[in-house]
Amino acid sequence: MSQTTPSSVPSPAAVAAPQPAATLLLVDDEANILSSLRRLFRPEGYRVLTAESGDEALELIAAEPVDMVVSDMRMPGMNGAQLLARIREAYPDTVRILLTGYADIGSTIDAINKGEIYRYVAKPWDDNDLRLLVREALEGRRLRHENQRLSDMLAAQNEQLRQFNTELEAKVKARTLALSEALANTDKANKELKQAYTTTVRVFCELVESRGGLMTGHGRRVADLARSLGRLLGVGDADQQTLVLAGLLHDLGKIGLPDELLDKPFTQLRPEERGALMTHPVRAESLLMGVRPLAEAAKIIRSHHEHYDGTGYPDGLAGLAIPRLARILAVANAFDSLQLGTMVGRTLSPRDALAYIESNRGKRYDPEVVDAMIAIGAHDSAEVPSPDQRLRVGQLTVGMTLARDLVHAEGYLLLSRGFVVDQQIIEQLARLERNEGRPLHVYVLKNGGAA
């Protein structure tokens, strides 16, 4: 038995994101094979343990945690299939890879069935392929652990919300006893209870958007637009509050999904990626249903990807069978997502996004809600002075004058109306756009005159 450790000089990746080195256990009765594998994996920064038999491997893994076992098939005494089967029973979280010759196909099938191995590799192996296989397997294991950690954290916060709910209910009950039993006062107390939850919900929204990228500010914009649409459509105050909560939390089910999956346009996803992404409305509903004041918002979130013609998901609802608030949220979400470029593979201007929604009137979207969206869009357009033009950062030139305040998605002022753009400002805005991963639009005067 021998043990090697990585060089004492950390790699740049380790400096950027310090993590414990993954531990590999290599098992083979041939010393030269173990030496070759050790040389192959030492530069990767792994902590490498070696064993020359199945019994020796079981003693090692019992003494200290091991992330992955790479075992040869043919060994005296306990073969690789038997070893990996025993490791699966005792240490199911350990990744298992089998090295096998072409003559061992029957034993390999036995290892797959009993040991539930991650992959088998034919000998002689290709060094680059084996390195990549081990790296991908360990990364998959890390992602599973991270997803579990996020789920546990979310469950703990749900429990905090439940406790908060219990405390608020006690306060509301005490206050209601002191008030008139009139129905109007009861409704008022319920409304105050929902408003008290808004702050907590915003914490959840920050959790969703804390990963940065295209999701930053998306929930708040969708919530604001959904409330405006609801108000225009005559939705009551209580339902407007539900729309706000649903808008803030509609992407909660995306927690745990890979960043590259969230930033890729839906039309460019592979079938398996679409399948993973399409689970997020149901997952968000399941996370929120246990919190009584958010139960209605959870139902709306479940249905906000249903299409008016029945082609949406997750339930294939159509027309008036889709909850009305979900039909409103769907349009608000689409309008912002189209401008982010997460729906059709390119970023659209507000005008083009509105045209896309109008073209899907009665197909994807409720005609009544689309008409309200058009009314809001026409109103916004009427408020924009005709000499203004909306540009991307890459279209700015030195000397242009801002026609409107440039406000960050999080609400703070970047540049004020009337500011004259210079080269340094253009470079700073371009850097901000790259860092945040979403387009930045600037309104300037067409004639270049004073604002």
Side-chain angles (χ1 to χ4, degrees):
M1 176 181 67
S2 62
Q3 176 174 323
T4 64
T5 56
S7 171
S8 59
V9 180
S11 66
V15 174
Q19 295 180 9
T23 299
L24 273 60
L25 174 55
L26 311 176
V27 189
D28 200 300
D29 61 320
E30 297 183 36
N32 61 327
I33 297 295
L34 288 179
S35 178
S36 297
L37 289 171
R38 197 164 46 241
R39 287 195 303 271
L40 176 63
F41 292 120
R42 182 183 294 120
E44 299 296 309
Y46 303 129
R47 181 169 175 265
V48 179
L49 307 176
T50 60
E52 297 178 356
S53 69
D55 290 331
E56 186 179 348
L58 291 175
E59 291 178 4
L60 268 176
I61 198 171
E64 56 183 303
V66 171
D67 300 299
M68 174 182 286
V69 175
V70 181
S71 174
D72 186 30
M73 181 63 202
R74 288 192 175 184
M75 295 185 294
M78 185 187 311
N79 65 28
Q82 295 167 334
L83 170 63
L84 296 184
R86 293 183 62 176
I87 290 175
R88 180 191 66 81
E89 293 176 359
Y91 312 100
D93 192 47
T94 300
V95 182
R96 300 169 295 281
I97 293 179
L98 183 67
L99 299 178
T100 178
Y102 288 109
D104 298 326
I105 187 63
S107 301
T108 300
I109 294 174
D110 192 47
I112 294 173
N113 292 335
K114 295 182 179 179
E116 295 181 4
I117 63 172
Y118 173 78
R119 199 72 58 83
Y120 74 88
V121 177
K123 298 167 61 177
W125 63 81
D126 180 273
D127 283 353
N128 288 332
D129 289 346
L130 186 55
R131 269 197 300 262
L132 181 60
L133 173 63
V134 167
R135 188 180 307 148
E136 290 177 344
L138 290 172
E139 177 62 12
R141 182 178 185 271
R142 185 193 69 78
L143 287 175
R144 288 193 298 273
H145 287 183
E146 178 65 9
N147 287 343
Q148 185 60 49
R149 184 187 69 82
L150 289 172
S151 296
D152 292 345
M153 179 177 66
L154 194 58
Q157 293 189 345
N158 270 338
E159 180 58 30
Q160 292 176 355
L161 271 176
R162 292 187 186 97
Q163 294 174 1
F164 184 38
N165 181 30
T166 301
E167 294 170 2
L168 282 178
E169 286 179 344
K171 292 179 181 179
V172 169
K173 182 177 179 180
R175 180 172 182 177
T176 302
L177 291 175
L179 294 174
S180 168
E181 295 182 356
L183 179 60
N185 288 338
T186 303
D187 290 341
K188 179 181 178 181
N190 289 334
K191 185 185 297 183
E192 289 175 351
L193 178 62
K194 284 191 176 182
Q195 289 174 346
Y197 266 86
T198 301
T199 301
T200 304
V201 170
R202 289 190 181 276
V203 172
F204 274 85
C205 184
E206 290 292 337
L207 176 64
V208 175
E209 297 181 358
S210 63
R211 298 171 66 177
L214 296 176
M215 298 181 72
T216 303
H218 173 65
R220 282 166 289 183
R221 293 191 299 272
V222 171
D224 290 341
L225 180 54
R227 177 168 48 190
S228 298
L229 286 168
R231 187 182 299 120
L232 186 60
L233 291 167
V235 170
D237 290 345
D239 282 345
Q240 287 183 37
Q241 181 71 6
T242 299
L243 272 174
V244 170
L245 296 176
L248 289 171
L249 299 175
H250 73 281
D251 280 336
L252 185 63
K254 292 181 180 179
I255 288 181
L257 294 178
D259 291 336
E260 60 271 16
L261 185 63
L262 301 182
D263 289 342
K264 188 184 295 185
F266 187 81
T267 55
Q268 296 178 9
L269 294 176
R270 298 191 301 272
E272 64 273 15
E273 292 176 324
R274 289 193 180 188
L277 186 64
M278 287 167 65
T279 64
H280 83 268
V282 175
R283 187 160 183 258
E285 181 195 37
S286 66
L287 291 171
L288 297 173
M289 282 299 292
V291 186
R292 187 169 59 83
L294 299 179
E296 287 303 316
K299 296 176 184 177
I300 301 311
I301 292 172
R302 179 187 179 95
S303 300
H304 79 282
H305 278 296
E306 301 287 359
H307 294 167
Y308 200 73
D309 60 4
T311 60
Y313 61 90
D315 302 310
L317 302 179
L320 300 183
I322 306 171
R324 189 185 188 209
L325 299 187
R327 287 178 264 147
I328 294 173
L329 181 61
V331 172
N333 180 49
F335 185 68
D336 195 73
S337 298
L338 287 164
Q339 294 177 74
L340 295 177
T342 57
M343 278 186 60
V344 295
R346 61 189 180 90
T347 59
L348 301 184
S349 67
R351 179 178 298 178
D352 290 339
L354 187 60
Y356 176 92
I357 290 173
E358 186 176 6
S359 69
N360 281 278
R361 183 181 187 274
K363 301 173 186 175
R364 283 176 173 262
Y365 310 117
D366 181 345
E368 181 187 34
V369 182
V370 172
D371 292 342
M373 186 68 240
I374 293 172
I376 290 178
H379 176 70
D380 289 346
S381 298
E383 294 179 349
V384 179
S386 58
D388 298 0
Q389 55 181 336
R390 182 175 182 268
L391 301 179
R392 289 284 301 274
V393 172
Q395 298 173 296
L396 295 175
T397 59
V398 174
M400 286 185 170
T401 302
L402 266 64
R404 302 185 187 182
D405 290 343
L406 180 58
V407 180
H408 192 270
E410 295 182 0
Y412 56 85
L413 181 67
L414 293 174
L415 296 171
S416 59
R417 177 177 176 269
F419 186 90
V420 179
V421 176
D422 57 25
Q423 187 59 38
Q424 183 179 3
I425 289 295
I426 294 175
E427 293 172 358
Q428 290 177 357
L429 293 177
R431 188 159 52 248
L432 176 64
E433 191 177 57
R434 288 194 301 271
N435 291 341
E436 296 197 350
R438 59 182 182 80
L440 188 65
H441 296 97
V442 183
Y443 286 91
V444 301
L445 297 177
K446 288 183 179 179
N447 56 17

